[in-house]
Amino acid sequence: MIQTDICIIGAGPVGLFAVFEAGLLKMRCHLIDALPQIGGQLSEIYPKKPIYDIPGFPEVNAQTLVDNLRQQIAPFKPTFTLGERVDGLTRSEDGSFIVTTVDGTQVKSKVVVIAAGLGSFEPRKPELQNLERFEGRGVTYMVKDPETFRQRRLVIAGGGDSALDWTIYLSAIAERVTLIHRNESFRGAPDSAEKVMKLAEEGKIDLLLSANLQAVNGNGVVKSVSVVDKQKVVKEIETDFLIPLFGLSPKLGPIADWGLNLDKSAIEVNTVDYSTNVEGIFAIGDINTYPGKLKLILCGFHEAALMAQRAFEFVYPSQKLSFKYTTVNGVNAF
Ligand code: FAD
């Protein structure tokens, strides 16, 4: 079991900055995110978009902001569990929380901070019979570690940026990549689409356009997929993996069942310290709601600062906190 002071659910910009604010007060953090990378919406939805409303940055690219946050929190040595969705929350006898992920990782902490943004990004799945039976047995909806696919046969399905980018990347390490897309043209970046077409022309990948997945076949593990083209001809492709990349949609998921006061799918908080109605649980960033709430990164940063001041009382109940500027505290806290 991982032990820490604060368990932060969500490694978006707000969860990341909370590590900095907690670190200044000598509180250690462990972050959990359902996505395989940090950065939340910035890295997942708009990595290349410029942002103009971060104080001190007239313009900053979304992924650069995430990279800078990573650098800013590094002195506080946060630890991460990525690619695992938080599923459960219980309280142990000593009053600590135990946060559990779908993959069974457990984190024990005195404080839980929910920085879950729009919720957990869940994969959009193709409608195929028995698909669930093959999940984790050849069917996967995200690429956590590309090495898993070295020298293996892959079928990737989709026409957006993820499908194109992973086809290009994995074609260099997999035994064979087949990309299936239901249309004639791609939704993803034209440059990536061009690269994929070139790989197909050079015979480095198999490309099936205007084709749809029809079935996953196998006995316990994936052995092949059946694909139907627009002439209704069915083709069976032998493969070790099927990776449908049809995009992600956010869902609040199990957090909705934790006894927190909710307004639609946002968590109600007290704006004095961004605490929820459950002692020791805070909610910051896009996930919370209060009168006047703005879903902006800079608002989430402010919420993280106030949350940390109050969280200190749970982590160090016998100590008195005196406010200091960063120039006094320094950032090399651990
Ligand atoms: P998020 O960035 O949503 O991160 C939350 C993280 O929590 C996600 O990574 C998610 O996977 C994870 N998570 C959720 N549930 C679970 C769970 N159960 N288990 C594990 N992990 C979980 N804001 C600005 O200030 N300026 C802008 O210019 C701007 N432009 C935008 C443009 C677009 C297209 C969009 C969509 C948003 C924009 N925003 C902008 C809004 C900004 O992106 C959000 O305010 C910000 O991302 C909120 O950060 P967050 O850390 O609260 O949540």
Side-chain angles (χ1 to χ4, degrees), residues 13 16-17 19 36-39 43 63-78 80 82:
L16 293 174
F17 190 65
V19 173
Q37 78 279 336
I38 64 166
S43 301
Q63 189 56 48
T64 306
L65 179 62
V66 172
D67 295 343
N68 288 352
L69 284 165
R70 184 204 291 271
Q71 200 185 329
Q72 191 172 21
I73 65 176
F76 301 113
K77 301 185 176 65
F80 294 89
L82 297 177

Side-chain angles (χ1 to χ4, degrees), residues 10 12-14 33-34 40-41 46 49 53 86 115-117 119-120 285-286 296-297:
V14 177
D33 205 295
Q41 293 172 53
Y46 59 98
K49 186 183 94 68
D53 53 357
V86 166
S120 168
D286 277 14
L296 285 176
I297 299 162

Side-chain angles (χ1 to χ4, degrees), residues 9-15 32-35 39-42 45-46 49-54 84-86 115-121 251-252 255 284-287 295-298:
I9 302 169
V14 177
I32 307 177
D33 205 295
L35 293 172
Q41 293 172 53
L42 285 70
I45 304 179
Y46 59 98
K49 186 183 94 68
I51 305 176
Y52 299 102
D53 53 357
I54 302 299
E84 295 185 23
R85 179 165 62 81
V86 166
L118 304 173
S120 168
F121 291 100
K251 294 212 169 55
L252 189 55
I255 294 172
I284 57 175
D286 277 14
I287 194 76
K295 289 191 181 185
L296 285 176
I297 299 162
L298 82 103

